[in-house]
């Protein structure tokens, strides 16, 4: 179709009803928000110049999806002022924002009549909620594009500093499992993506994670993160799985992680990329998935560093394997041979066979600002999947937030689960300094 750019294979997967997926990124700012200054900042940004953010999704007579450029983007159709968010009395700002995001996870698809992005402004909470459809790009690319609008707080003319997104653990999909995992108190399944959600936040200090990392030779922050997840889930299962006929010791539960397979452009290179004619080959979604197994172990407090050692051994094998590349090839083949609808149904069924999803994206190392307004907090979440538990971590200026999105009828106490993760890291830190 002349003048139209085909949606990538993985992008086509994300626009199917079963796999519809929106990334929600929250920026909390220090000072009151001025809507007009926000519009001015966006008008002058790379985001609004990006062809995908100027295009609507269309389908031809054969059902093939394309991006079609619009004549202009009316920011009033994309920026929404949200006031009087209903939440229990005496709730803090973070709790209100988390509740708003939890509702968005299951009830608010993006309008197909305009480019697939929005900015929700929660003025009373000083929060900006970017909602961007995953078909526009993978999480790392979208984060780079958002951060290209920001500047260092102490050097207003400088872009944020972000280390390489090494072994980015993102989300979605799974591998071709032949049977469903044993049911636990965190298990989801078919239809769970429609269930009401809760969102809680676990907080970590990057220095604490580095202390634990240094206690395990050649470990990485990702090794520590997954060790924390394994230890925290074991604590949670010990507390909740009280009447299961099967013993918990040695029980295996499996998470999903995505590995970026395309070299990502730095923020400094984003401008030339957006203006180039090679965008179709340099942008989009290209990643493979890996299975992330956790074996439940009791007595977490005996030697919590063992969780990091087990995580490192497992992740080292994953890095050396072709699992991520093989999964990408299989997904692309299914899309080519069976079409997006069948591929989405297959992927949906596969997701139901695992227990949770985890993502980890590295954010700016220093404090930054948006439109001259200092950013005090960064976090990311997404729309829901059949999992009852999805975990998204984003680091910012020496700290990290792990957003814990749950189906509240299955995991009614995500705040307790957040504490399980936080306590696991504290115990690991203590053990690493003994």
């Amino acid at each position: 179709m002349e003048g139209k750019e085909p949606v990538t294979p993985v992008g086509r997967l994300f626009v199917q009803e079963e796999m519809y997926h929106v990334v929600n990124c929250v920026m909390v700012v220090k000072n009151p928000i001025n809507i007009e200054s926000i519009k001015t900042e966006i008008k002058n940004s790379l985001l609004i110049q990006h062809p995908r953010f100027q295009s609507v999704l269309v389908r031809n007579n054969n059902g093939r999806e394309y991006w079609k450029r619009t004549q202009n983007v009316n920011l009033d159709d994309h920026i929404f002022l949200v006031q009087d968010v209903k939440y229990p009395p005496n709730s803090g700002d973070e709790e209100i924002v988390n509740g708003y995001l939890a509702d968005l996870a299951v009830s608010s698809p993006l309008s197909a009549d305009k480019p697939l992005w929005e900015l929700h402004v929660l003025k009373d909470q000083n929060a900006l909620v970017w909602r961007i459809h995953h078909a526009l790009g993978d999480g790392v690319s979208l984060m780079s594009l958002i951060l290209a609008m920001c500047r260092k707080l102490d050097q207003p003319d400088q872009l944020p500093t972000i280390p390489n997104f090494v072994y980015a653990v993102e989300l979605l999909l799974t591998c071709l499992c032949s049977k469903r995992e044993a049911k636990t108190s965190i298990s989801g399944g078919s239809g769970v993506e429609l269930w009401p959600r809760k969102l809680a936040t676990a907080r970590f200090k990057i220095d604490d994670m580095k202390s634990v990392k240094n206690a395990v030779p050649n470990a990485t922050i990702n090794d520590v993160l997954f060790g924390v997840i394994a230890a925290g889930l074991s604590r949670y299962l010990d507390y909740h799985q009280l009447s299961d006929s099967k013993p918990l010791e040695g029980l295996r539960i499996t998470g999903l992680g995505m590995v970026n397979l395309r070299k990502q452009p730095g923020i400094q290179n984003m401008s030339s990329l957006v203006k180039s004619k090679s965008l179709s080959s340099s942008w989009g979604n290209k990643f493979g998935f890996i299975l992330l197994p956790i074996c439940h172990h009791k007595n977490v407090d005996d030697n919590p560093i063992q969780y990091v050692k087990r995580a490192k051994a497992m992740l080292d094998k994953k890095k050396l394997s072709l699992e991520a590349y093989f999964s990408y090839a299989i997904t692309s083949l299914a899309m080519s041979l069976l079409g997006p609808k069948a591929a989405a149904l297959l992927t949906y069924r596969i997701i139901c066979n695992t227990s949770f999803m985890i993502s980890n994206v590295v954010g700016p190392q220093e404090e930054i600002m948006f439109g001259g307004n200092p950013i005090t907090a960064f976090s990311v979440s997404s729309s829901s999947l059949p999992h009852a538990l999805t975990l998204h971590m984003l680091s910012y200026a020496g700290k990290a937030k792990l957003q814990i999105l749950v189906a509240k009828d299955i995991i009614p106490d995500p705040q307790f689960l957040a504490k399980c993760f936080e306590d696991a890291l504290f115990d690991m830190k203590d053990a690493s300094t003994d």
Side-chain angles (χ1 to χ4, degrees):
M1 298 173 67
E2 185 177 354
K4 297 181 177 66
E5 180 187 339
V7 178
T8 63
V10 177
R12 296 185 71 196
L13 189 68
F14 288 143
V15 299
Q16 305 306 310
E17 181 180 358
E18 298 80 7
M19 296 298 300
Y20 190 91
H21 210 71
V22 177
V23 177
N24 300 317
C25 181
V26 180
M27 298 162 51
V28 179
V29 294
K30 180 179 180 180
N31 301 317
I33 295 173
N34 184 297
I35 299 293
E36 292 306 315
S37 68
I38 294 294
K39 289 181 180 179
T40 299
E41 197 69 30
I42 295 176
K43 285 178 182 178
N44 297 327
S45 72
L46 289 176
L47 182 143
I48 205 65
Q49 300 173 34
H50 195 295
R52 298 281 170 83
F53 286 75
Q54 299 177 351
S55 301
V56 295
L57 184 75
V58 297
R59 289 182 172 89
N60 63 14
N61 294 334
N62 297 321
R64 176 76 193 211
E65 295 87 358
Y66 290 83
W67 299 114
K68 180 181 179 181
R69 292 283 286 270
T70 58
Q71 295 300 316
N72 60 3
V73 176
N74 184 353
L75 291 184
D76 291 332
D77 293 336
H78 292 266
I79 301 177
F80 302 98
L81 179 62
V82 181
Q83 295 179 305
D84 299 324
V85 180
K86 303 301 181 184
Y87 218 64
N90 303 319
S91 297
D93 285 344
E94 183 177 78
E95 190 176 6
I96 292 173
V97 173
N98 279 350
Y100 184 75
L101 291 171
D103 290 341
L104 288 179
V106 293
S107 62
S108 300
L110 297 170
S111 172
D113 297 331
K114 60 186 180 183
L116 295 175
W117 66 274
E118 294 177 348
L119 176 61
H120 294 205
V121 180
L122 280 65
K123 203 167 184 180
D124 293 340
Q125 289 72 41
N126 277 6
L128 303 173
V129 179
W130 293 95
R131 305 197 69 223
I132 303 174
H133 200 288
H134 215 316
L136 271 66
D138 56 46
V140 175
S141 297
L142 297 178
M143 180 59 64
S144 297
L145 195 59
I146 289 175
L147 292 178
M149 293 186 286
C150 300
R151 295 296 182 270
K152 293 182 180 180
L153 187 60
D154 58 351
Q155 295 177 286
D157 60 334
Q158 296 293 315
L159 289 165
T161 302
I162 302 179
N164 292 331
F165 294 97
V166 179
Y167 196 58
V169 186
E170 207 188 305
L171 70 90
L172 235 1
L173 310 180
T174 183
C175 125
L176 300 176
C177 303
S178 59
K179 61 180 181 179
R180 184 179 175 81
E181 290 194 305
K183 189 172 182 61
T184 70
S185 55
I186 66 169
S187 297
S190 179
V192 170
E193 71 277 10
L194 302 176
W195 292 21
R197 301 275 144 170
K198 279 187 176 181
L199 184 64
T201 304
R203 297 169 184 82
F204 308 114
K205 292 181 179 179
I206 299 300
D207 283 346
D208 290 347
M209 302 186 82
K210 288 180 178 178
S211 294
V212 176
K213 175 179 77 72
N214 293 336
V216 179
N218 301 315
T220 67
I221 291 295
N222 271 327
D223 298 332
V224 176
L225 172 61
F226 199 66
V228 167
I229 299 303
L233 286 176
S234 288
R235 290 170 184 255
Y236 186 85
L237 291 172
D238 279 339
Y239 183 84
H240 277 282
Q241 203 82 1
L242 302 178
S243 59
D244 198 309
S245 59
K246 297 178 63 177
L248 284 177
E249 184 65 19
L251 174 71
R252 171 173 159 151
I253 55 178
T254 305
L256 298 177
M258 298 305 295
V259 179
N260 176 38
L261 301 179
R262 176 189 284 125
K263 182 179 179 180
Q264 292 295 331
I267 295 179
Q268 287 75 11
N269 298 327
M270 192 66 69
S271 178
S272 58
L273 173 62
V274 169
K275 296 175 183 177
S276 73
K277 296 182 179 180
S278 59
L279 180 64
S280 61
S281 62
S282 305
W283 193 270
N285 291 278
K286 186 176 181 181
F287 47 77
F289 55 81
I290 57 175
L291 292 180
L292 300 171
I294 289 176
C295 288
H296 176 275
H297 295 279
K298 286 181 179 283
N299 303 319
V300 174
D301 297 327
D302 288 351
N303 191 357
I305 296 296
Q306 289 298 321
Y307 277 100
V308 180
K309 292 181 178 179
R310 283 190 287 265
K312 172 177 166 48
M314 182 270 292
L315 291 175
D316 282 350
K317 293 177 182 178
K318 297 289 182 178
K319 294 174 190 178
L320 294 174
S321 75
L322 296 177
E323 182 178 352
Y325 292 92
F326 180 74
S327 65
Y328 176 76
I330 289 295
T331 303
S332 298
L333 183 63
M335 185 70 70
S336 299
L337 297 180
L338 304 176
K341 185 71 173 180
L345 289 172
L346 175 62
T347 304
Y348 177 90
R349 181 179 63 82
I350 292 168
I351 291 177
C352 293
N353 290 335
T354 55
S355 295
F356 68 97
M357 180 283 300
I358 179 173
S359 77
N360 178 26
V361 174
V362 181
Q365 294 180 300
E366 66 282 293
E367 291 184 322
I368 62 174
M369 57 185 177
F370 177 69
N373 200 339
I375 295 174
T376 60
F378 247 125
S379 61
V380 67
S381 62
S382 69
S383 52
S384 56
L385 291 171
H387 291 129
L389 173 64
T390 58
L391 306 168
H392 301 266
M393 191 170 92
L394 176 63
S395 62
Y396 172 53
K399 298 179 181 179
K401 283 189 173 184
L402 181 69
Q403 295 292 84
I404 304 166
L405 183 66
V406 304
K408 67 180 184 179
D409 292 334
I410 297 175
I411 304 177
D413 51 356
Q415 293 83 2
F416 174 68
L417 182 54
K419 188 175 187 303
C420 288
F421 294 137
E422 292 173 344
D423 289 348
L425 179 59
F426 286 140
D427 289 347
M428 290 174 184
K429 180 190 175 185
D430 289 343
S432 69
T433 56
D434 288 343

